[in-house]
């Protein structure tokens, strides 16, 4: 897989290819490492591509895809990261 072509500054990829790469990456996020997730997030920021709902698939602190839902209360979903134990709330 030719991922992270953006790291090499001599090779520039178009925005449409970056979008396809990001979509393909998030299809199987559970098998990805935090380092790979961080690089994809940086790629999205570089091309100003919003991640929208995809940003809820990983921890915002350690970029780990290991999340657990604690519960739903008053319109908010409470999620905890299994690795760093960071808690976050998402509005439903």
């Amino acid at each position: 897989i030719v991922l992270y072509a953006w790291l090499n500054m001599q090779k520039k990829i178009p925005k449409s290819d970056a979008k396809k790469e990001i979509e393909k990456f998030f299809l199987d996020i559970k098998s990805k490492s935090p380092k790979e997730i961080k690089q994809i997030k940086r790629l999205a920021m570089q091309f100003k591509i919003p991640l929208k709902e995809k940003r809820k698939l990983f921890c915002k602190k350690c970029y780990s895809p290991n999340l657990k839902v604690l519960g739903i209360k008053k319109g908010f979903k409470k999620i905890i990261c299994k690795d760093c134990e960071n808690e976050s709330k998402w509005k439903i």
Side-chain angles (χ1 to χ4, degrees):
I1 300 173
V2 182
L3 267 179
Y4 319 119
W6 60 277
L7 287 175
N8 189 355
M9 290 302 181
Q10 284 122 8
K11 294 180 183 177
K12 296 213 175 190
I13 60 173
K15 187 174 182 176
S16 59
D17 288 350
K19 273 187 181 180
K20 289 176 189 173
E21 216 170 282
I22 291 168
E23 291 293 327
K24 189 168 58 173
F25 180 85
F26 278 102
L27 291 176
D28 187 32
I29 193 169
K30 291 291 181 186
S31 65
K32 307 297 184 189
S33 70
K35 188 175 182 179
E36 292 173 323
I37 294 172
K38 190 173 185 177
Q39 288 176 337
I40 279 292
K41 186 179 175 194
R42 291 186 72 195
L43 177 68
M45 289 190 303
Q46 179 184 356
F47 285 99
K48 297 180 182 174
I49 299 169
L51 292 178
K52 297 182 182 177
E53 292 295 314
K54 294 178 191 80
R55 67 189 176 98
K56 296 180 181 182
L57 299 175
F58 57 89
C59 176
K60 64 181 180 180
K61 186 175 177 187
C62 69
Y63 301 103
S64 171
N66 301 325
L67 299 176
K68 180 182 176 186
V69 177
L70 291 179
I72 299 172
K73 191 174 184 180
K74 294 184 181 177
F76 286 91
K77 184 191 284 189
K78 196 170 185 181
I79 298 171
I80 189 166
C81 176
K82 292 180 183 176
D83 295 339
C84 69
E85 298 180 2
N86 182 45
E87 288 185 15
S88 57
K89 288 183 184 178
W90 296 102
K91 191 172 184 178
I92 297 177

